Amino acid sequence: MEGGSGNNSVPPSPTFDKSRVLDVKPLRSLVPVFPSSPHTPPFVCAPPSGPFPSEFSPFYPFSGPQPAPPDLNQQTHTPAPLRSFRPPQSNGQISRDVNTDDGPPKRSVGRPRASSSSSQKRAKKDLDFTLSVVDTNFVVGVTSAQKEDGDREVVNNVLMRFDALRRRLSQLEDSKESPSGLIRRADLKAGNILMSKGVRTNMRKRVGVVPGVEVGDIFFFRMEMCLVGLHSQSMAGIDYMVIRGDIEEDPLAVSIVSSGGYDDEAEDKDVLIYSGQGGNVNSNKKDKQAADQKLERGNLALERSLHRANEVRVIRGMRDVISPTAKVYVYDGLYRIQESWVDKGKSGCNIFKYKLVRVPGQPGAFAVWKSIQQWREGFSTRVGLILPDLTSGSESIPVSLVNDVDEEKGPAYFTYFSTVKYIKSFKLTEPSYGCNCRSACSPGDLNCSCIRKNGGDFPYTANGVLVNRRPLIHECGPTCPCIPNCKNRVSQTGLKIRLEVFKTKDKGWGLRSWDPIRSGTFICEYAGEVIEKVKSRQDGEGEDDDYVFDTTRVYEPFKWNCEPGLIEEDGNDTTEEYNIPSPLIISAKNVGNVARFMNHSCSPNVFWQPVAYEHNSESYVHIAFFALRHIPPMTELTYDYGTSRSDEADGSGTPHGKKKCLCGSPRCRGYFG
């Protein structure tokens, strides 16, 4: 059990004496005994979806061979880096110089030897615990080829490689041509492949900040947190390590995942009441008898962290408003355990409760989610709201206009239009015809002409996420007989996320989302009037780069697609270079949509993709924007504007005709346009 209901304040407990919790000693009987016989099967830890198929190559903790624990006699620990939010040392504070490891605890020297009978009982109890354990607390991430600590770029790279592989595996699963028995959990399959190839970072467990992971980062899969070292448990809610003290060893909590009903647990955005793990405290199943939670493993680690006052990373699981059956995990920063007590569950069994309080001075994360939830439900008014919907109903989802920076009442007037407008005489390609599907286009159906145009692959996963960047994506057009909600019409179905146009501090108006955005999600298209290059120069439209999209500019190359070698695919057809039939220039100065408000960044979180679909026997190209990586709510959406081919510089050092860049990225090239 990862988290349960509770209150913000600690309720009085006339029945239970808290001192019996606080003064308990470490349970030495919890030292695991790992089978040494070569004939002994390894741990079996099946995912929630059930047993793995034979094609799945297991890895620890998913029933694979267990890594050897580290030698506790070797001084191999590297002290954790100083943290931004490091508090003053106190008597209960764990020292940064303490020697820590992830190996199983040893008995303290000088402890009396147990009798033969008690040793046998303890060994049986240890074996029972070993067979029931489902986490990786003692040995996960400790290998002979331990990775260096990551940074922001490394963490982003690992996450992008994981999601690219996961999307490709999902595409194969959706296809009729997928091999029989292919595992349906593409996230677990992708994690298995990357871990086996060493594509991960921050493998050493630590207290406090994880290098390269920032407060507010979001994750759509638990495996993502494992790969970047934020929380190494694939299923368990409490992650801990074993520390050496002067006299004895203790488990120490390093992170928790709370995925219960948070409205009941933490009305205060800086307080979390967390329920312990284990026991069948809420069991309604006839084959499982209700039982008290025990002060062992993660529960004991939280208790020890209370005494040592060490920081614990908190990850909150939130409902995904775009996919209600899915969950989004948000890293809410560092907390300290302030108090613990025993409470009664619905079944009458004892539950451990821990009150965690957020360390001050950190950026808001869960607080942002709470504010958005209140805006949605109408319980609070959006500060600085100018218009509740600047589209005037043109979009199926309203787009609010907000300015909480100054007194400006809105951008210059323009006509809102949700798609691109072509001049009738401006033909892009030869006559084109759509598919002949009578229902929905099916992945892997080579009888569908639209799928054949895409090289035989369906360009999107079943939930509408783009799989790969392509030279040109072909979607079903308005005259295709397939149903309107065919999965091959992703860029034509309007907005699916709640967007907001807002005033930035130094870049004019910008665009951001109330919703978390998954990598590969369609955001919007670039709407406006298609113009010719000659007309652009004559009208001076090219001087206002904020409102012109030009495919003839030079764009920084980047890698987004799955690496063919990870799943032994032929890499001949993996180009990400765009192939547009004719140069395309779109002006959104007078007519446009929300895309006109997206600012430039040299390290963007959005990219553009040309998409073609036929209309009146002609194929026209549209510019669609997709998420480059996972984007947390209220994060500004940006893409690379590219640069013209002029290299002449003016007196300021900025090339002539280009604008000074204010993106603030470490990779900022100083100008754009």
Side-chain angles (χ1 to χ4, degrees):
M1 176 171 159
E2 295 178 3
S5 61
N7 300 312
N8 292 334
S9 58
V10 180
S13 179
T15 306
F16 299 96
D17 181 8
K18 295 179 183 178
S19 63
R20 66 178 178 144
V21 177
L22 302 179
D23 295 335
V24 71
K25 298 298 182 183
L27 301 180
R28 295 300 166 190
S29 62
L30 295 179
V31 178
V33 177
F34 300 112
S36 57
S37 170
H39 304 291
T40 304
F43 286 120
V44 176
C45 178
S49 59
F52 295 119
S54 59
E55 289 80 3
F56 184 80
S57 176
F59 64 96
Y60 190 78
F62 296 112
S63 75
Q66 184 172 252
D71 186 356
L72 297 179
N73 296 322
Q74 293 183 1
Q75 303 296 321
T76 59
H77 172 69
T78 302
L82 293 176
R83 305 187 312 278
S84 301
F85 310 110
R86 183 175 182 178
Q89 294 287 344
S90 63
N91 293 334
Q93 177 70 33
I94 180 173
S95 169
R96 292 296 164 196
D97 297 327
V98 66
N99 190 15
T100 62
D101 58 68
D102 299 332
K106 292 183 177 181
R107 298 184 185 278
S108 301
V109 177
R111 189 177 294 273
R113 183 181 298 273
S115 65
S116 174
S117 175
S118 62
S119 298
Q120 293 175 355
K121 292 179 180 179
R122 181 178 294 110
K124 182 180 184 301
K125 186 175 182 180
D126 288 341
L127 181 59
D128 291 340
F129 166 69
T130 298
L131 296 177
S132 64
V133 69
V134 296
D135 52 38
T136 63
N137 290 304
F138 298 103
V139 294
V140 71
V142 182
T143 66
S144 58
Q146 202 166 49
K147 289 287 184 182
E148 296 284 341
D149 290 346
D151 56 21
R152 189 61 175 172
E153 186 172 356
V154 171
V155 166
N156 283 338
N157 178 267
V158 170
L159 293 176
M160 287 182 64
R161 294 174 73 181
F162 166 82
D163 202 66
L165 177 57
R166 185 201 61 80
R167 293 191 308 269
R168 177 56 179 154
L169 292 172
S170 295
Q171 185 184 50
L172 293 174
E173 291 173 4
D174 296 337
S175 173
K176 291 181 179 179
E177 302 299 323
S178 60
S180 60
L182 184 67
I183 184 172
R184 301 300 298 177
R185 287 291 300 273
D187 56 319
L188 299 182
K189 178 74 172 179
N192 174 28
I193 293 173
L194 294 188
M195 284 189 172
S196 66
K197 294 182 179 296
V199 182
R200 59 189 302 191
T201 188
N202 297 320
M203 295 174 65
R204 175 175 57 85
K205 286 193 181 183
R206 72 197 74 215
V207 172
V209 173
V210 175
V213 180
E214 297 179 356
V215 175
D217 282 352
I218 60 174
F219 307 87
F220 285 85
F221 301 95
R222 294 282 292 262
M223 189 58 67
E224 292 176 305
M225 295 185 283
C226 296
L227 289 171
V228 299
L230 180 65
H231 185 84
S232 66
Q233 305 304 304
S234 58
M235 286 177 286
I238 306 173
D239 190 10
Y240 62 92
M241 62 194 297
V242 176
I243 67 164
R244 286 190 194 141
D246 295 335
I247 301 176
E248 56 188 15
E249 297 161 352
D250 278 333
L252 195 69
V254 294
S255 64
I256 61 172
V257 175
S258 176
S259 54
Y262 309 112
D263 291 340
D264 296 331
E265 292 187 0
E267 290 298 331
D268 186 336
K269 62 184 181 301
D270 295 323
V271 176
L272 172 66
I273 307 300
Y274 188 79
S275 299
Q277 63 181 193
N280 298 316
V281 293
N282 294 318
S283 178
N284 295 320
K285 298 181 180 180
K286 296 181 180 180
D287 58 337
K288 288 189 177 182
Q289 185 175 2
D292 295 339
Q293 290 184 348
K294 297 180 181 179
L295 195 62
E296 61 184 23
R297 295 188 289 160
N299 297 337
L300 180 61
L302 289 172
E303 196 64 43
R304 289 292 173 258
S305 291
L306 167 64
H307 291 299
R308 293 183 176 272
N310 69 279
E311 296 155 333
V312 178
R313 298 186 296 273
V314 169
I315 302 103
R316 296 180 184 259
M318 312 292 292
R319 183 178 63 87
D320 186 356
V321 295
I322 300 177
S323 303
T325 58
K327 217 168 243 184
V328 185
Y329 299 94
V330 55
Y331 173 43
D332 198 29
L334 303 177
Y335 281 64
R336 284 197 180 88
I337 304 174
Q338 190 177 84
E339 193 169 0
S340 69
W341 67 97
V342 177
D343 205 349
K344 286 288 187 181
K346 294 179 181 179
S347 62
C349 296
N350 294 339
I351 304 175
F352 292 107
K353 292 282 189 175
Y354 303 90
K355 179 181 180 180
L356 292 94
V357 179
R358 200 164 189 259
V359 175
Q362 302 178 87
F366 180 60
V368 172
W369 291 69
K370 294 290 290 183
S371 296
I372 294 173
Q373 181 181 0
Q374 292 175 351
W375 300 340
R376 291 183 191 279
E377 298 173 354
F379 292 123
S380 68
T381 304
R382 180 75 174 93
V383 176
L385 181 66
I386 299 173
L387 285 174
D389 183 15
L390 64 81
T391 77
S392 300
S394 298
E395 301 284 4
S396 58
I397 299 178
V399 178
S400 53
L401 178 66
V402 173
N403 183 358
D404 55 6
V405 175
D406 53 34
E407 300 302 319
E408 188 175 357
K409 295 303 181 182
Y413 176 81
F414 72 102
T415 300
Y416 195 95
F417 199 71
S418 58
T419 189
V420 68
K421 298 176 66 176
Y422 276 95
I423 301 173
K424 290 184 178 180
S425 60
F426 189 67
K427 304 296 184 182
L428 284 177
T429 61
E430 294 298 321
S432 174
Y433 301 94
C435 67
N436 54 4
C437 302
R438 295 298 172 182
S439 181
C441 297
S442 301
D445 182 8
L446 296 182
N447 292 321
C448 173
S449 58
C450 291
I451 291 181
R452 289 200 304 271
K453 291 176 184 177
N454 289 305
D457 283 328
F458 208 66
Y460 306 105
T461 63
N463 59 350
V465 171
L466 181 66
V467 177
N468 291 323
R469 292 171 66 212
R470 289 176 173 270
L472 184 65
I473 288 178
H474 295 270
E475 289 190 349
C476 297
T479 56
C480 288
C482 56
I483 58 179
N485 61 347
C486 171
K487 295 298 183 182
N488 198 31
R489 300 179 187 267
V490 168
S491 71
Q492 306 168 53
T493 55
L495 301 182
K496 292 295 184 290
I497 55 180
R498 179 66 189 267
L499 297 173
E500 172 181 286
V501 174
F502 72 105
K503 185 65 181 296
T504 68
K505 292 182 179 180
D506 54 5
K507 295 181 292 183
W509 297 92
L511 187 68
R512 59 191 176 194
S513 169
W514 288 16
D515 301 325
I517 306 176
R518 179 180 297 194
S519 176
T521 298
F522 170 71
I523 297 173
C524 62
E525 76 163 284
Y526 198 96
E529 299 174 298
V530 174
I531 58 177
E532 298 181 52
K533 191 71 174 178
V534 175
K535 182 178 183 296
S536 173
R537 291 172 179 170
Q538 290 176 348
D539 294 348
E541 304 235 13
E543 298 176 2
D544 194 352
D545 287 328
D546 288 342
Y547 301 110
V548 169
F549 185 92
D550 188 349
T551 62
T552 66
R553 290 178 180 166
V554 178
Y555 295 90
E556 290 290 327
F558 65 95
K559 179 70 176 175
W560 194 70
N561 292 352
C562 174
E563 301 158 63
L566 292 176
I567 48 179
E568 300 180 354
E569 285 190 309
D570 183 5
N572 294 331
D573 189 27
T574 58
T575 177
E576 299 185 42
E577 296 293 329
Y578 298 139
N579 182 19
I580 302 175
S582 179
L584 183 61
I585 305 172
I586 305 173
S587 171
K589 185 174 184 179
N590 300 315
V591 176
N593 66 345
V594 292
R596 73 195 299 272
F597 296 107
M598 259 197 288
N599 284 313
H600 162 82
S601 175
C602 299
S603 297
N605 51 23
V606 174
F607 68 90
W608 62 274
Q609 165 70 54
V611 176
Y613 46 89
E614 65 86 24
H615 184 61
N616 294 331
S617 300
E618 295 288 336
S619 181
Y620 296 101
V621 174
H622 298 249
I623 301 300
F625 289 104
F626 295 88
L628 181 69
R629 53 180 175 268
H630 299 335
I631 306 175
M634 305 306 285
T635 301
E636 184 176 4
L637 305 177
T638 59
Y639 73 97
D640 185 357
Y641 281 15
T643 57
S644 63
R645 302 182 186 277
S646 173
D647 295 326
E648 298 178 5
D650 57 23
S652 64
T654 301
H656 180 70
K658 296 178 173 58
K659 293 188 175 183
K660 182 179 179 181
C661 182
L662 301 173
C663 72
S665 164
R667 302 173 62 182
C668 180
R669 53 184 181 259
Y671 58 87
F672 64 90

